Structure formats: structure tokens, C-alpha cells
Amino acid sequence: MGECSTSDIGIIQKKVNQVQGVDEYEVEIQNYCQSCGLSGLVIGCEGFQTVEPVEPALFKQLDGGDCLINGGDFITRGIPIRFRYAWQTPTNFYPKKVVSKCSSR
């Protein structure tokens, strides 16, 4: 059973609405790892801005253009993390760091 990594994280965003005259985007983050739970996910979010609040338990800006997802808690395969933000242009999100906890079965 191999370890999982940032390559097992999927990030999809789509325009869903308009808020205060700017586009609103929904971001969905998935754990695609077959055998491991993933936690401590940090994504690149350089330049992120929004005109609507984002739940900090799901998405928290850190220093240096990084953001913490799901408060660092586990992201379970098949249960995506979703949040919305609204800004003039979409942010380029990408996985930077994750902790893999694999079962030993």
C-alpha cells in the first residue's frame, strides 16, 4: 500500500453566480487517494480575495500565499470540501502539502 500525496488531491472550481457585481465561484476539493486519509492540506492561493465571507473552518488564509483547508482535519475520500468566494477573477488554487495516514491492513 503506497503513501498518497498532493497528486491525490483534486481541486475544481466553477462560476456559479454573481455577488455584489462580481463572479462567484464554488471550489470543490476532493481526496482521490484509494487507501489513505489525508489531513493538513495546504493549498497555494496567492492573490486570493473575496467580497463575501468564507467559512474559516473550511478555508483559512495563511502567510506566504498559502491557505489551510478544513482546519487541517481529515479529508475523507468521497466527501468533498466545498466553499464559495466572489471576486473579479478566479484564484489559481493548487495543492502544496498534505499529510498521508495509510491503514496497515
Side-chain angles (χ1 to χ4, degrees):
M1 216 172 300
E3 290 284 315
C4 294
S5 68
T6 55
S7 64
D8 295 294
I9 295 291
I11 302 175
I12 300 167
Q13 71 177 319
K14 61 184 173 186
K15 187 171 115 175
V16 293
N17 205 350
Q18 282 221 315
V19 174
Q20 298 179 29
V22 296
D23 292 334
E24 180 183 46
Y25 301 92
E26 181 177 76
V27 180
E28 180 178 286
I29 300 172
Q30 289 265 13
N31 169 7
Y32 290 121
C33 180
Q34 294 289 329
S35 58
C36 303
L38 300 176
S39 65
L41 176 60
V42 173
I43 65 172
C45 61
E46 189 171 334
F48 176 81
Q49 295 185 60
T50 184
V51 297
E52 67 180 344
V54 177
E55 174 60 48
L58 298 177
F59 178 90
K60 181 180 179 184
Q61 282 185 275
L62 306 172
D63 293 333
D66 292 343
C67 292
L68 181 66
I69 301 303
N70 201 34
D73 290 339
F74 275 94
I75 300 171
T76 303
R77 180 175 170 80
I79 304 175
I81 304 299
R82 290 187 183 97
F83 65 90
R84 290 183 177 198
Y85 72 99
W87 195 244
Q88 298 158 350
T89 56
T91 299
N92 179 31
F93 297 112
Y94 55 95
K96 290 182 80 173
K97 182 175 86 169
V98 71
V99 177
S100 176
K101 295 270 188 170
C102 295
S103 62
S104 57
R105 288 188 227 165

